[in-house]
Amino acid sequence: METHILKRDCEVRDVLLDYAKDGIFLEGSLLKLVRSEPEDEEFHQYLITAKQRDIDVRRKRLKITKQIQTQNDELAKASRVRDKLTDELEEALKISQENENKALSSYKKAEEVKENALKDLEVLQKKTRFKLMSLIVRVALTIIIGVGITTTLLYAYIIASGADTTIIETTWSNLFGILITNSFSIIGTIMGVRYANDKLKDIEL
Amino acid sequence: MIKSLLLVDDEELFHLVFEDACNILGITLSIESVNSSNEAEVMFRGWFEETNTRLRPECVFVDLNMKGSSFDGIELIRKINEEYGNNVVIGIISSSNDSEEIERAKEVGAMFWIVKTHDLEPRLESFKIDYDDYIDGNKTFTVYD
């Protein structure tokens, strides 16, 4: 595109020079299309000043724009880092939540196992206790029956030998009464133990 | 000096940087900037279909990837060269320096590739020196990195 010379007698030239006194200069693309006459030093200087001002303004704006651009780039970079960290945090939180759920599930299972173990232990303790009681009762009953038989045999021997039976008679009578009473008590206990054992078997099943 | 230049880039802040850099270096008389390859395509289609091509730019700088565009800068260059009459000095201005993309651009008729960095002016100055050779067809594809 051709440039245009603004001659000395051109009204536009005078207007531009007049505006320049107030600090207003031509700028932008139009400035590149205007030339002065070779001998027109005043307008030539005007164009040099206007071009320099235009370049200075653009340099200043370019510097600021680049600063903003750099800041934007840094912000974008920081935003990407933040997004990445957020993603990682969310992932970690998710894993943590899953682990917590697994731990909770394991804890519940452990609690169940513990409860079952405690129940088993209680049943075992009861079973052992009832077996011991049963043994004691059986031994006691055997002793009572043994004492009864022994006393009866002794009484029978004394009767057969014709000795005085006054003392042994009273003793045997009292002893037998006690033995029968105790026997019934023990039989009752045995029945109780058996009933309890049956109940235990039901619990175990 | 380039009479008219079109910048196709989605980053509006870069429009200002580019315009100021071009004005300071005295590269062009006028610059028009658009945000997407779609907008640029519509403009070129208009210039191609109409007889009045006065507003058609002499030179086009196209960004490689643009948000809000349905096709990239290389595809835009292909369309301009193959569908809308060619006849412009056209190339890519991008922060990418990917050799495959550069090769792709070359294949569709891009004439230059300028790497967009913070320090853009030296590359634009080199381009300004080479511009007349691009017009005359004496310059082969060049990467300004």
Side-chain angles (χ1 to χ4, degrees), chain A:
Chain A
M1 193 171 277
E2 285 181 14
T3 52
H4 293 271
I5 296 170
L6 288 184
K7 293 180 180 174
R8 281 185 182 184
D9 57 353
C10 177
E11 194 185 341
V12 176
R13 171 195 171 276
D14 295 336
V15 170
L16 288 173
L17 288 172
D18 198 39
Y19 277 139
K21 287 172 188 164
D22 296 323
I24 303 165
F25 288 83
L26 197 63
E27 56 187 36
S29 299
L30 279 176
L31 192 54
K32 294 167 191 163
L33 296 170
V34 177
R35 278 192 295 140
S36 63
E37 285 180 309
E39 62 276 16
D40 188 355
E41 187 58 31
E42 190 185 8
F43 194 58
H44 178 67
Q45 281 303 320
Y46 167 85
L47 289 176
I48 289 171
T49 309
K51 281 175 185 172
Q52 194 54 52
R53 280 172 66 98
D54 192 46
I55 286 172
D56 288 347
V57 168
R58 288 186 186 279
R59 273 193 206 286
K60 194 176 171 185
R61 198 174 75 162
L62 182 63
K63 192 181 167 188
I64 293 166
T65 315
K66 279 187 175 180
Q67 279 174 355
I68 294 167
Q69 207 179 21
T70 307
Q71 285 167 355
N72 276 0
D73 289 346
E74 283 168 5
L75 279 173
K77 199 177 169 184
S79 175
R80 280 196 296 274
V81 170
R82 190 198 60 203
D83 288 348
K84 195 184 169 193
L85 283 173
T86 307
D87 288 347
E88 284 174 3
L89 204 64
E90 278 176 2
E91 187 64 27
L93 201 67
K94 197 180 162 187
I95 292 167
S96 168
Q97 192 69 44
E98 282 173 4
N99 287 340
E100 193 185 329
N101 290 341
K102 280 179 187 171
L104 202 65
S105 172
S106 300
Y107 175 74
K108 279 181 183 173
K109 279 180 186 170
E111 279 286 313
E112 281 175 18
V113 170
K114 186 187 163 189
E115 275 178 27
N116 288 337
L118 283 173
K119 277 180 188 172
D120 289 347
L121 184 67
E122 197 180 354
V123 168
L124 193 69
Q125 281 175 340
K126 279 181 182 173
K127 205 173 170 181
T128 310
R129 195 160 56 238
F130 287 134
K131 275 183 181 173
L132 188 65
M133 281 172 69
S134 176
L135 181 69
I136 291 166
V137 166
R138 282 170 204 277
V139 169
L141 201 61
T142 309
I143 292 166
I144 287 166
I145 291 166
V147 169
I149 291 166
T150 309
T151 316
T152 306
L153 287 173
L154 188 65
Y155 187 36
Y157 171 72
I158 287 168
I159 291 169
S161 64
D164 184 21
T165 60
T166 313
I167 295 167
I168 192 77
E169 207 174 60
T170 317
T171 306
W172 183 84
S173 171
N174 288 340
L175 191 66
F176 218 78
I178 291 164
L179 289 176
I180 287 166
T181 309
N182 285 348
S183 297
F184 276 111
S185 170
I186 287 163
I187 287 163
T189 307
I190 289 167
M191 288 174 75
V193 169
R194 280 191 175 171
Y195 176 75
N197 275 337
D198 290 344
K199 278 277 177 191
L200 272 174
K201 278 173 189 170
D202 290 344
I203 291 167
E204 283 172 16
L205 285 171

Side-chain angles (χ1 to χ4, degrees), chain B residues 7-11 14 37 61-67 72-74 76 91-96 116:
Chain B
L7 172 69
V8 187
D9 194 302
D10 61 330
E11 195 190 343
F14 183 70
S37 48
F61 282 62
V62 186
D63 189 13
L64 180 60
N65 297 306
M66 288 165 276
K67 286 174 191 166
D72 67 6
I74 296 175
L76 176 65
I92 294 281
I93 183 160
S94 169
S95 51
S96 167
K116 194 201 286 181

Side-chain angles (χ1 to χ4, degrees), chain B residues 93-111:
Chain B
I93 183 160
S94 169
S95 51
S96 167
N97 198 10
D98 186 86
S99 56
E100 281 182 22
E101 296 287 12
I102 290 173
E103 197 54 41
R104 225 182 105 217
K106 200 176 162 183
E107 281 170 13
V108 299
M111 298 165 88

